[in-house]
Each structure stands twice: as C-alpha cells, then as structure tokens.
Amino acid sequence: MDEPKITEDLIAAHGLKPDEYQRLLGIIGREPTFTELGIFSAMWNEHCSYKSSKKWLRTLPTTGPQVICGPGENAGVVDIGDGQAVVFKMESHNHPSYIEPHQGAATGVGGILRDVFTMGARPIAAMNSLSFGEPSHPKTAHLVKGVVEGVGSYGNCFGVPTVGGEVRFHRSYNGNCLVNAFAAGLADADKIFYSVASGVGMPVVYLGAKTGRDGVGGATMASAEFDDTIEEKRPTVQVGDPFTEKRLMEACMELMQTGAVISIQDMGAAGLTCSAVEMGDKGDLGIRLDLDRVPVREPNMTAYEMMLSESQERMLMVLRPEKEAEAKAVFDKWDLDFAIVGETIAEDRFLIMHGNQVKADLPLKALSGTAPEYDRPWVETPPAAPLAPVPHIDPLDALKALISSPNYARKSWVWEQYDTMVMGDTVRTPGLGAGVVRVHDTGKALAFTSDVTPRYVKANPFEGGKQAVAEAWRNLIACGATPLAATDNLNFGNPEKPEIMGQMVGAIKGIGAACIALDMPIVSGNVSLYNETDGTGILPTPTIGAVGLLKSLDDMIAGLPHEGAIAVVIGETVGHLGQSALLAEVFNREDGDAPHVDLAAELRNGTFLQAQRALFSAATDLSDGGLALAAFEMAEAAGLGVVLESADTGLLFGEDQARYLVACSFDQAEALMVAAGHAGVPIAAVGHFGGHVVRLGPSEAPLADMSALYRSSFARAVG
C-alpha cells in the first residue's frame, strides 16, 4: 500500500505548525515517512507533550515526606504507613465524551484504572468530575445520560466503587463537556512498578486485547478545537470492554508476583507509540518493534494505524527473558494476547519494521525530550469590577432557587447509577462530603474528594486556584481525615490566546501557593487544553482531586445533626457575594470578585476543627451556597428541619472561605466557643436543627416540600 505524499495540508491535519515541521526536519535531516509524521504528531501534540504547560507545571510543589513517587509516572504514589501506599491520578476524556458520550466516558474510566494498576496497585475507588452545558441546550440531556451511563457501566462491570465527584452545568460547556476521571488503588510501598526500561536486548511484550482501528489519532484530536466537522471525528473515539480490562488487571497482578516485569506502561493516548517511547526514554534505551507480531483484530492494518491506534485494554512491558514461558502462561490462563513484538536496543533509535520494511527510524530521545516547549505569551486576568448591589430577596425563595437548580439539587440520579458499595469497603457513599473507603483488613481508611469552582477561576484565576485546593482540603478535614496529597486536572481553552494562557498561569500559581501552605503536594495530573468550540472557550476548570488518611475509622466525622442540635459556624463570615451561587442561580449574574482565600486562616480553622472533634456530631465545610445551603443539606440528610435566625443575605448566602458548619449539643457548643476563644478562631451559633420546617429569618416552609423539591429537580432538569 503506497503511503500518502507529505503535503502542507497533511502536516496541518496532524496538528503540526509549519515551524514545528521545520524543527522535525532539522532533527531527522530528511522528509519523514507517513508513519513517522504520525508518530511525531502523536508525541508532540499538547495532550502528550504538555508543551504549553510544562514551564508552569514545574513550579508546583510535588514532594514531601509522604510522597513515594510524584508526577512523571502513570500515577502518583503516597505512603499511608504500615508498608502500604495509595496510588492515584485524575485524567480528562473531554473531547471523546462530547463526540461519543458513552464510550468516551467509559474509556476515560478504563484509562485511569489502567494508570493505577500498571503501578502494581489494585484499584479501590473512583470519582468523576463532570461539566455540562445549560440543561436547556439541545445536546445536554443526551450528553448527561451517555456520560453517566458510560462511567457507571465501565466502573460497575470492572468492579470498583465510585465514591464521589461533582456535576455542574454552565453555558460555556455547551459545545465541549468535561469528563475528568479519578482512580485510586492500594499497593505495597516496596512493590511499586515503574515504566523505566532497563537492559539491552530485553524482550518488549504486548499484553491484553488486540489492536484495531478505533482511536487512531485520538491524542491529536484531543489537542484541537471543535468546529462543524465534529461528526467526522467519531472514529477517533476508542471503544472499551471492562470485562477484558478486569482480566488484564488480574493477569498483570499475577504477573507482577513472578518477578518477570522489568518495566510496564499502559497504552493510553497515542497507544503503542507513546508507551514504547516513554519506556525507552526513561531508561535511556532505543526500541525496535516488529509490527508483524502485533495481535490485530482487523485485516490489512498499516504501520501508521497500528502505531497510533488507541484500542483499549492494552499494555506494553519489558520482560526478563528467562521468565518468558512463565509470563505467557499467566496471560494464556486469562485468555489474553501475549506477544513479543520487539526488543530494547543500545542505540538512540525508535525503529519500526512492518512487512520486512522500515516504516520509521527516528531518534527516540528527540521524540520525547525535544518536543517543543513554549513560553506562551499571557496576560493577567484584569481585576473584577466591584460587585453591583444585590437586590433584596426573601431568603427562603433564594434557597428554593438553589435547591431546584441542577447545580445544587441532590445528585442521587447520577450516583445511583454507579455501584458505590462493590468490594465491600465503602464507608461513606456520595452525597455528603468526601467519600471514604476502608483499607481492607486494617482499621485505616482513605477519604477522596474532587473540587473546583470555575466561576471563581474565571473572575480571579489566582484566588480560584487557591480556593479549589482549599475546598478539597476542607472536605477531607471535615470528615476527620488528614490530607495527604492531590492530583490536578487542568481544563482550559486555547493556550495560544494570551488571556486563556493567563487564566492557566494564574490558576497554577494559586494551586501551588495553597498546596504549599496546606502541605498537600501535587503528585500526578493531566492538562486538557483547546476546550473550545467555534472559538468559544469553557470556563477555566482546574479540578483538584485530593486524598486523605484516617488512621482509624474511629476518627471519622460522619454523623448527622440530632433533634435540638445547635448550628455553629467556625470561621469568619463577612458575607462575600461576588461570583456566588446566589448571584448565578437567582439573579443570572456572574459579577464581582471571587472570595479571597486566607491560607493561614484555612490552616488554623481546619486544625482547630479536628482538634475539637469530640465536641460535635456532624460537620461540613461551607462553600457554594454558603450557610443556608450547607445547613439545609445537613438537616435534610438527617430528616430534620433547620432554623437559621438571621435573614441577612450575606450571612446566609455569602461564600467566605475557611468556614465549617458543625452540629452539637448546647453544652458542647459552649465548650467549643471557649476553645475557639483560646485558639483565636472566629465562631458563632447561628441557629438549630430539629422539627419539620425550614426557617430562614421570618420565612418558613415545610421540610417535606423543600425535600421533595431538592430530590426531584436534577432528574427533571436532565429529563
């Protein structure tokens, strides 16, 4: 089969700018073959090379005494004591999920699970952060249904509990939804598997499912904006098979016990190309591949298609040659492909053979190490204009508007489609704060949360970045966990626009400042750029996934308010309404500045809360919707009414940071106030829980009516 002629149009179709193509020519000293053009396109696109973000990602804090492995591997690894480690990461599957929601979301879950078990960790928890367009948009209901089904079907069939996440709606996502998938697993701290190849002449082994034409060019597509040719991109979306992945995990876990594995890498973005290049590059070795040996499920596949296929449920491994028969027996038992497709070589070469012809012969280091790295021009987001006056509104009407909005209504329609209890170790399911999973056969548990408020990030990227980290930290603190570390999923528009690049720079600076102050390093992550359609970008959405440790389940704060409990706010309330949920949902406004995050106050108030945990039965952090929404959610979960004495809009709906709401008896409330006085922590009693009405200031409504509104609005909105 004749290869296409390299033309300017073909180069552009591969996402390479003219100057990048000239750089490619300078490296190899000749015109590339079609397969080589595809390989460079895959390795140099934004999705694989981080060429616009690398400069800024290096500024993030990534180390600490608890960190075993930071960014650069398949997932981050953090020590949890007793010779155990938690392995976790968050990654986007945004573009595929917009084109083909079910498979896009499903393979996003599959990919993040592979990142975890590739490191030798058995997955124990999943989360997802989903952003959709306006509920009234003609495509939104279809996307929500498809994405939620895709996430649920893959996770449920694979057998991992989905324990948390978030769902938001905003017009900026009308043409580009976001699907961020998180997974965490457990491993022995001294049995972590890495992707660094070592030894010359070692067999390179292909494991798992066969290679097809699905997903060819997927990584390049993920680094492009959408336009009216979107339907043509459908073949670039991968197709997942969770039952094959389950077998692949069990086979890999069994194989890892044999001592056969030198290095292992999952085939994710850019498939065989990226996995082979990364293993060779990290080990300072070359790789030779013979594509005639690659197990394929379709006839007459070209070298280009095999190298760029993103067929799912596949791994690449460098194997100890003396263990070959033992390793093959494991994969035969699990009815999975096992094929020696190449070897490590001493020269710096990526040599691809197919049909006894050389299809690619490239310097391997150049594919990885000399990918373009840009210091893109950026402009700081201008300061927000002062907040215009907020009209008076009956506080109960405001609360009704919040709880009937799909952004703040109860999301049980979503999580009831996920298996939250599989494996039998889930202690706290979605719906109220961080998810908690027991560390099997121990008294310990791990807490998981995912947070970001995109409105804040758009108004003030630095404060919005800080706030995403601070809210994740508070969610862990509020369930009694000690925050350990975080993963970030940075979703932005086109970085070639200085104002978008400025959003990313500001957010990363804010994330870094908060991670340092709160001792919660970033150990893994993902950047997803070009989230735009017809030139309109999404709200900047740097999602933070965070993990905390409960050394004993006895430390968990997971109670609910009891009849007559006093409602107490820890932290200072000024009544910040800029960029608040109240403005967005009630007045259709997005103005004012984001709330500023006092990191010293965050640390002081969170530390105080945990030190006084004996003095309250229930706790939650205050974030979107302020005191009124948090108090209602807490009361509704307990089947109780709630009375908040004030009718002041700022006090009820302000989104000041570093605050918690706790429920305690009268005597406990007194003791808490004394302790807060000694610690210099602002504190105030604001009302009480109990009865069967929800009362804010002078206005009240039956709890049953409010509860019905809260529990039915999401399903009604997404139809």
Side-chain angles (χ1 to χ4, degrees), residues 238-405:
Q238 313 87 334
V239 177
D241 178 356
F243 296 110
T244 299
E245 176 131 333
K246 176 74 169 168
R247 299 203 321 273
L248 179 62
M249 178 187 72
E250 296 299 349
C252 286
M253 293 298 215
E254 198 172 319
L255 184 67
M256 287 164 172
Q257 304 300 314
T258 67
V261 180
I262 294 175
S263 72
I264 188 164
Q265 174 78 30
D266 102 279
M267 285 195 228
L272 202 48
T273 291
C274 201
S275 54
V277 168
E278 283 189 14
M279 286 206 298
D281 179 48
K282 287 175 185 169
D284 288 321
L285 292 166
I287 301 271
R288 184 185 66 76
L289 295 178
D290 181 355
L291 299 186
D292 294 322
R293 298 179 181 179
V294 170
V296 292
R297 65 167 183 257
E298 299 182 47
N300 305 319
M301 286 188 71
T302 64
Y304 177 95
E305 288 169 332
M306 280 193 250
M307 291 307 295
L308 298 186
S309 166
E310 293 184 10
S311 293
Q312 296 291 288
E313 293 85 43
R314 302 180 302 157
M315 297 279 196
L316 202 63
M317 174 179 73
V318 177
L319 175 75
R320 296 193 192 284
E322 69 277 12
K323 297 275 190 179
E324 182 188 328
E326 195 176 348
K328 185 176 187 314
V330 170
F331 275 75
D332 286 347
K333 181 182 111 176
W334 288 100
D335 193 23
L336 292 162
D337 278 297
F338 176 100
I340 293 177
V341 295
E343 64 176 353
T344 57
I345 55 177
E347 303 94 333
D348 175 27
R349 286 172 83 189
F350 191 39
L351 182 60
I352 310 300
M353 306 295 295
H354 189 219
N356 290 324
Q357 288 183 304
V358 175
K359 292 294 182 179
D361 188 353
L362 299 168
L364 187 142
K365 275 278 179 211
L367 280 170
S368 183
T370 62
E373 187 175 319
Y374 295 120
D375 185 0
R376 294 203 185 275
W378 59 280
V379 294
E380 206 159 310
T381 301
L387 181 66
V390 178
H392 173 74
I393 183 169
D394 182 285
L396 201 63
D397 290 341
L399 180 60
K400 285 176 181 173
L402 288 182
I403 64 175
S404 62
S405 153

Side-chain angles (χ1 to χ4, degrees), residues 399 432 559-570 615-622 626-645 660-666 668-669 672 684-696 703:
L399 180 60
L432 270 180
L560 292 169
H562 55 269
E563 181 70 40
I566 308 292
V568 176
V569 171
I570 294 170
L615 294 178
F616 49 84
S617 59
T620 183
D621 88 302
L622 298 191
L627 169 63
L629 184 59
F632 170 77
E633 288 176 344
M634 208 187 226
E636 200 273 345
L640 294 174
V642 62
V643 173
L644 297 177
E645 306 294 352
Y660 302 85
L661 173 66
V662 300
C664 43
S665 69
F666 184 82
Q668 288 172 324
L672 200 57
V686 292
H688 66 272
F689 296 95
H692 302 288
V693 300
V694 175
R695 179 156 68 80
L696 305 181
L703 171 66

Side-chain angles (χ1 to χ4, degrees), residues 22-376:
Q22 290 304 314
R23 183 181 188 135
L24 182 165
L25 294 179
I27 288 168
I28 65 174
R30 57 176 170 77
E31 188 176 87
T33 66
F34 181 52
T35 302
E36 288 173 334
L37 179 69
I39 288 170
F40 266 103
S41 157
M43 290 305 299
W44 282 12
N45 70 62
E46 195 71 58
H47 197 73
C48 291
S49 72
Y50 296 103
K51 59 192 176 188
S52 299
S53 56
K54 225 180 239 178
K55 170 187 162 85
W56 298 101
L57 294 176
R58 289 193 191 102
T59 66
L60 290 171
T62 59
T63 58
Q66 71 275 42
V67 179
I68 295 172
C69 174
E73 271 293 339
N74 287 292
V77 185
V78 175
D79 195 331
I80 59 167
D82 307 311
Q84 292 178 300
V86 60
V87 178
F88 64 94
K89 188 183 184 184
M90 190 172 233
E91 213 164 57
S92 60
H93 231 221
N94 303 336
H95 285 49
S97 299
Y98 188 75
I99 297 167
E100 176 40 74
H102 184 108
Q103 288 299 345
T107 51
V109 174
I112 201 68
L113 290 168
R114 278 197 306 284
D115 279 338
V116 166
F117 71 74
T118 301
M119 306 278 302
R122 183 172 288 276
I124 61 160
M127 291 192 296
N128 52 80
S129 176
L130 311 176
S131 305
F132 298 105
E134 295 165 295
S136 59
H137 188 270
K139 201 159 178 180
T140 298
H142 163 72
L143 288 171
V144 173
K145 184 171 183 292
V147 165
V148 172
E149 278 180 359
V151 168
S153 70
Y154 205 101
N156 297 355
C157 294
F158 180 87
V160 64
T162 298
V163 299
E166 48 187 349
V167 185
R168 70 180 56 82
F169 297 85
H170 189 275
R171 62 186 174 278
S172 73
Y173 306 106
N174 280 349
N176 197 130
C177 65
L178 301 184
V179 175
N180 294 177
F182 169 100
L186 281 176
D188 291 339
D190 60 351
K191 293 193 181 75
I192 306 296
F193 287 82
Y194 298 101
S195 58
V196 183
S198 66
V200 174
M202 295 296 161
V204 175
V205 185
Y206 173 112
L207 307 168
K210 288 178 166 54
T211 294
R213 289 187 170 94
D214 55 322
V216 172
T220 303
M221 175 272 290
S223 302
E225 292 180 34
F226 284 150
D227 53 30
D228 54 13
T229 63
I230 187 169
E231 282 304 312
E232 296 167 19
K233 296 184 168 87
R234 193 172 295 275
T236 61
V237 178
Q238 313 87 334
V239 177
D241 178 356
F243 296 110
T244 299
E245 176 131 333
K246 176 74 169 168
R247 299 203 321 273
L248 179 62
M249 178 187 72
E250 296 299 349
C252 286
M253 293 298 215
E254 198 172 319
L255 184 67
M256 287 164 172
Q257 304 300 314
T258 67
V261 180
I262 294 175
S263 72
I264 188 164
Q265 174 78 30
D266 102 279
M267 285 195 228
L272 202 48
T273 291
C274 201
S275 54
V277 168
E278 283 189 14
M279 286 206 298
D281 179 48
K282 287 175 185 169
D284 288 321
L285 292 166
I287 301 271
R288 184 185 66 76
L289 295 178
D290 181 355
L291 299 186
D292 294 322
R293 298 179 181 179
V294 170
V296 292
R297 65 167 183 257
E298 299 182 47
N300 305 319
M301 286 188 71
T302 64
Y304 177 95
E305 288 169 332
M306 280 193 250
M307 291 307 295
L308 298 186
S309 166
E310 293 184 10
S311 293
Q312 296 291 288
E313 293 85 43
R314 302 180 302 157
M315 297 279 196
L316 202 63
M317 174 179 73
V318 177
L319 175 75
R320 296 193 192 284
E322 69 277 12
K323 297 275 190 179
E324 182 188 328
E326 195 176 348
K328 185 176 187 314
V330 170
F331 275 75
D332 286 347
K333 181 182 111 176
W334 288 100
D335 193 23
L336 292 162
D337 278 297
F338 176 100
I340 293 177
V341 295
E343 64 176 353
T344 57
I345 55 177
E347 303 94 333
D348 175 27
R349 286 172 83 189
F350 191 39
L351 182 60
I352 310 300
M353 306 295 295
H354 189 219
N356 290 324
Q357 288 183 304
V358 175
K359 292 294 182 179
D361 188 353
L362 299 168
L364 187 142
K365 275 278 179 211
L367 280 170
S368 183
T370 62
E373 187 175 319
Y374 295 120
D375 185 0
R376 294 203 185 275

Side-chain angles (χ1 to χ4, degrees), residues 434-458:
V436 179
V437 174
R438 186 184 299 104
V439 177
H440 198 68
D441 286 339
T442 73
K444 296 185 298 199
L446 289 163
F448 304 100
T449 186
S450 155
D451 298 284
V452 64
T453 308
R455 292 188 311 278
Y456 294 173
V457 187
K458 185 172 187 196

